[in-house]
Amino acid sequence: MKPFSSKTLLRTGMSHAQSPLDKRRIALFNYLILFCLITSLLLGGITITFGLIIQPILCFVATTLLSISFVLNHFGKIRFSKAYFITLCVLMIVGASLIYIREGQDVDLENMLFAAMAITMFLVDGLKKHFVYWLIFGCFIFLKVLSLNALGVDGTIFGLTLINNVVVAAVLYLFLYVFRSILIKAFDRSDQHEQTLRSLLDNAPLLMALVDAEGNFILVNNNYSSRFGHKRRELIGKNRREVLPQDIFEKHEPMFQEVLKSKSQVSFLEETSLPDGSVISANGKYEPILNADGKVESIAICVDDVSELVRAHRALKVANETKDKLFSIIAHDIKSPLNLFHSILSLNHDDVISKEQFIEYQDSLKRRLTSLTDTVDELLEWARMQLGGISAYPAKVNVSSVVHENADLFHTLIQRKNIDFKIDAPSEMEAWIDENHFKVAIRNLIHNAIKYTNGGGSVKVVGNQNDDETIVKIKDTGIGMSSERINSIIKKEIQKSEVGTDKEIGAGLGLSLSLGLLEKNNCDISVTSEINKGTTIEIKIPNSASK
């Protein structure tokens, strides 16, 4: 429960207000009630010192009756409370005036009804305010007539006094009516401007807040309050320490203090976990707002979620690294063989080597030329895939037949390295995949397995099926791979070209190309490996187009 205070008392009933203007009018009404209570108590105390009895009793009774208006406001009976308050004030003034007139005391207490008339113009709405205003003035005229008669005032003075009071009442009425209209219009414009400002803040894709020099929230937009798991009205008046998660507060408090000390802007860029569960790249700043004395009066906080920009920057960085790798491949794996061809041809042309010696180089040149052709083909296919130029056209394909057909291409390499190569797959094993894509992928994967397996090792291709998919595994006893390299392969990054166990060369594009083609055919790929123990690549191919 909140502790009782005058501020709490003056806010009584505001939760029942329908608009900001209603809140201001309720606040004004509460101030009037409090003023009347204090005035009644003071008058009661003063009249006691004069030795009076009835007047103090009336003042204390009035104080008790007036306090009922606060109770009515608390329960939302604002209209009834206003009517009760005005009626009670008028009755007390009229009653006290009648007592003084009867006792022959000329204290002009009836003049206090002008104050009641003024209050009426601000508390009562519609046509009723005009009726109540002049009704109270009628009570004033009644009391004034009684007072003048009691004093024995002659007819001329009597008439002039009444006329003067009518003029005062009319001028007061006109002034209050115009002033009330101007005041309400000013409040309306102020509310409209406030709503416009609030709308601008709420529609901004930023987290925005305004805090005072102690760190208490003055203003926040919806984006800020919702990201921190609060409603806007819950944050106003709270301290940053109460709202921010502990890790964020501890990280940002030194920045906040630096703004207070230096009176200059402090910016930050960091990855932040917010209470709503989101993780954002926050680009923000603390901007000091100075008062006329040059002291920091408040601090504006503005945070922009630049996660998309950061991701784009990272993607650009990866693209640049890929470009560098690509140029490295072109420079090494394409240019080097071409330089070798050029050198040998130049030697033969200059008769530095004989025709017989040139023929001895043919096998080496043939292997180099084959490798160069494969590199160019892989480079072109990879480039097409990066540009989105490769589309899959899956159909029923005999997987076993494609595996055998492409394994035969490496018969000479298998024999030269004395590798135990086996295929264990049903002959009628069919799956749903683009045949050309599968040929390129399985050829690259089998070639890699042979390439990185030492002489005397083994490579095995195993195939089996269930109701939903066909599973092909390529197992080797080769040099294996690190977990970092496996992660790089899964991300389809270009691999640095590495020489095989028999000095075979490659472009480093084969794995990236193969995984990309398989994914275009809705295949699942997993890679497991252990250094110096071998690698297993598993491909799961859907058996039908339903996947």
Side-chain angles (χ1 to χ4, degrees):
M1 181 180 292
K2 293 182 179 179
F4 179 81
S5 65
S6 59
K7 184 176 180 181
T8 303
L9 189 65
L10 292 171
R11 293 182 62 84
T12 303
M14 281 195 183
S15 59
H16 303 286
Q18 301 297 318
S19 68
L21 178 59
D22 282 344
K23 286 186 177 181
R24 293 186 177 97
R25 294 176 69 184
I26 291 173
L28 173 63
F29 184 31
N30 288 332
Y31 272 104
L32 287 172
I33 298 171
L34 185 61
F35 174 78
C36 290
L37 287 174
I38 294 172
T39 302
S40 294
L41 289 173
L42 288 175
L43 288 175
I46 292 170
T47 51
I48 286 176
T49 61
F50 291 157
L52 301 175
I53 299 175
I54 297 177
Q55 286 82 354
I57 294 174
L58 289 175
C59 288
F60 294 136
V61 170
T63 301
T64 304
L65 294 175
L66 285 171
S67 63
I68 294 175
S69 290
F70 278 125
V71 178
L72 294 172
N73 286 351
H74 175 73
F75 289 103
K77 307 295 183 180
I78 309 297
R79 289 185 179 178
F80 182 75
S81 178
K82 290 176 181 178
Y84 169 81
F85 176 79
I86 293 172
T87 303
L88 182 62
C89 289
V90 171
L91 289 177
M92 286 191 298
I93 294 170
V94 170
S97 296
L98 289 174
I99 292 173
Y100 284 123
I101 291 171
R102 188 184 64 181
E103 294 179 354
Q105 298 176 0
D106 182 21
V107 294
D108 290 330
L109 186 62
E110 66 274 8
N111 290 336
M112 292 183 64
L113 288 175
F114 279 105
M117 292 158 59
I119 291 172
T120 297
M121 291 298 290
F122 286 97
L123 295 186
V124 182
D125 293 320
L127 294 175
K128 287 185 289 187
K129 65 177 176 290
H130 308 294
F131 173 76
V132 174
Y133 180 92
W134 291 112
L135 179 62
I136 295 173
F137 182 68
C139 294
F140 168 82
I141 293 296
F142 170 73
L143 293 174
K144 182 60 72 173
V145 169
L146 291 179
S147 176
L148 292 175
N149 284 333
L151 294 173
V153 176
D154 61 44
T156 302
I157 301 299
F158 185 93
L160 289 174
T161 301
L162 292 181
I163 292 172
N164 290 340
N165 282 295
V166 169
V167 172
V168 169
V171 172
L172 179 64
Y173 169 79
L174 180 62
F175 171 79
L176 291 174
Y177 180 78
V178 173
F179 182 72
R180 182 182 189 274
S181 301
I182 293 173
L183 195 60
I184 290 177
K185 287 180 180 179
F187 281 149
D188 285 339
R189 283 196 296 269
S190 175
D191 289 338
Q192 288 173 2
H193 293 157
E194 185 177 337
Q195 290 295 332
T196 301
L197 177 60
R198 198 178 295 277
S199 177
L200 287 172
L201 291 176
D202 287 340
N203 288 317
L206 307 173
L207 283 73
M208 302 178 73
L210 184 68
V211 298
D212 61 23
E214 285 72 41
N216 300 313
F217 285 98
I218 301 171
L219 177 69
V220 295
N221 68 349
N222 274 339
N223 200 11
Y224 190 99
S225 58
S226 62
R227 287 294 189 100
F228 285 97
H230 293 274
K231 293 181 179 178
R232 191 201 325 252
R233 63 174 178 270
E234 295 174 348
L235 291 184
I236 305 304
K238 282 191 174 182
N239 193 274
R240 294 168 55 252
R241 187 186 295 274
E242 302 175 75
V243 175
L244 301 179
Q246 187 66 22
D247 58 331
I248 296 180
F249 179 80
E250 290 177 354
K251 188 187 298 182
H252 284 255
E253 182 60 13
M255 302 182 203
F256 188 84
Q257 296 301 327
E258 176 63 24
V259 175
L260 293 175
K261 182 179 178 181
S262 66
K263 302 179 184 178
S264 59
Q265 180 190 110
V266 173
S267 301
F268 59 90
L269 176 61
E270 62 189 25
E271 191 168 272
T272 303
S273 297
L274 297 177
D276 66 354
S278 60
V279 179
I280 68 170
S281 295
N283 178 31
K285 63 180 180 180
Y286 290 92
E287 183 75 42
I289 298 174
L290 308 181
N291 60 19
D293 299 326
K295 295 181 179 180
V296 177
E297 183 177 62
S298 56
I299 297 176
I301 305 170
C302 183
V303 182
D304 189 10
D305 181 359
V306 293
S307 301
E308 290 294 331
L309 187 61
V310 170
R311 281 193 287 269
H313 175 74
R314 289 172 181 167
L316 181 60
K317 185 179 179 181
V318 170
N320 282 329
E321 291 173 353
T322 301
K323 175 205 68 177
D324 293 340
K325 290 180 181 179
L326 197 57
F327 283 134
S328 176
I329 291 168
I330 294 172
H332 182 269
D333 296 327
I334 295 181
K335 189 175 180 181
S336 295
L338 290 176
N339 287 338
L340 176 62
F341 298 155
H342 182 269
S343 299
I344 292 175
L345 290 172
S346 296
L347 289 172
N348 185 54
H349 182 269
D350 296 335
D351 294 327
V352 175
I353 61 173
S354 64
K355 182 177 181 181
E356 290 74 16
Q357 289 174 316
F358 179 76
I359 292 173
E360 291 177 7
Y361 283 105
Q362 280 187 338
D363 287 340
S364 176
L365 289 172
K366 185 178 180 180
R367 287 198 301 272
R368 291 278 185 156
L369 184 58
T370 300
S371 174
L372 178 60
T373 302
D374 290 343
T375 296
V376 172
D377 288 341
E378 288 180 357
L379 182 59
L380 292 174
E381 289 296 312
W382 180 86
R384 284 179 60 206
M385 187 167 62
Q386 297 303 305
L387 294 172
I390 293 181
S391 299
Y393 301 99
K396 279 291 182 182
V397 175
N398 189 311
V399 171
S400 179
S401 175
V402 173
V403 170
H404 280 85
E405 175 187 334
N406 284 274
D408 289 342
L409 298 175
F410 308 107
H411 179 71
T412 302
L413 181 59
I414 291 170
Q415 283 189 330
R416 188 170 72 245
K417 298 183 73 169
N418 191 28
I419 288 175
D420 181 16
F421 186 88
K422 292 181 180 178
I423 299 175
D424 181 12
S427 59
E428 299 302 323
M429 190 170 63
E430 292 186 335
W432 191 262
I433 192 169
D434 187 303
E435 185 171 358
N436 290 326
H437 290 183
F438 185 56
K439 284 180 179 180
V440 172
I442 202 67
R443 181 165 64 246
N444 273 300
L445 295 176
I446 291 175
H447 182 222
N448 275 353
I450 298 170
K451 177 179 176 182
Y452 296 110
T453 297
N454 290 302
S458 67
V459 175
K460 190 174 184 179
V461 182
V462 180
N464 56 72
Q465 278 186 311
N466 56 38
D467 293 338
D468 299 321
E469 57 194 9
T470 297
I471 302 170
V472 178
K473 294 182 180 179
I474 301 99
K475 304 179 180 179
D476 66 60
T477 59
I479 61 176
M481 294 180 287
S482 65
S483 58
E484 292 80 8
R485 188 171 179 83
I486 291 174
N487 289 333
S488 179
I489 288 170
I490 295 300
K491 292 177 183 177
K492 300 186 292 300
E493 296 175 354
I494 298 175
Q495 306 303 305
K496 181 181 178 181
S497 178
E498 294 187 5
V499 177
T501 56
D502 194 31
K503 307 302 180 184
E504 302 100 326
I505 61 174
L509 290 168
L511 277 173
S512 175
L513 176 61
S514 299
L515 297 185
L517 291 174
L518 290 171
E519 286 188 358
K520 280 184 174 289
N521 286 271
N522 297 318
C523 298
D524 294 326
I525 308 102
S526 63
V527 181
T528 56
S529 186
E530 195 172 347
I531 298 294
N532 297 323
K533 289 189 178 181
T535 300
T536 298
I537 296 181
E538 182 181 79
I539 309 166
K540 294 181 179 180
I541 313 168
N543 288 339
S544 65
S546 59
K547 182 174 177 180

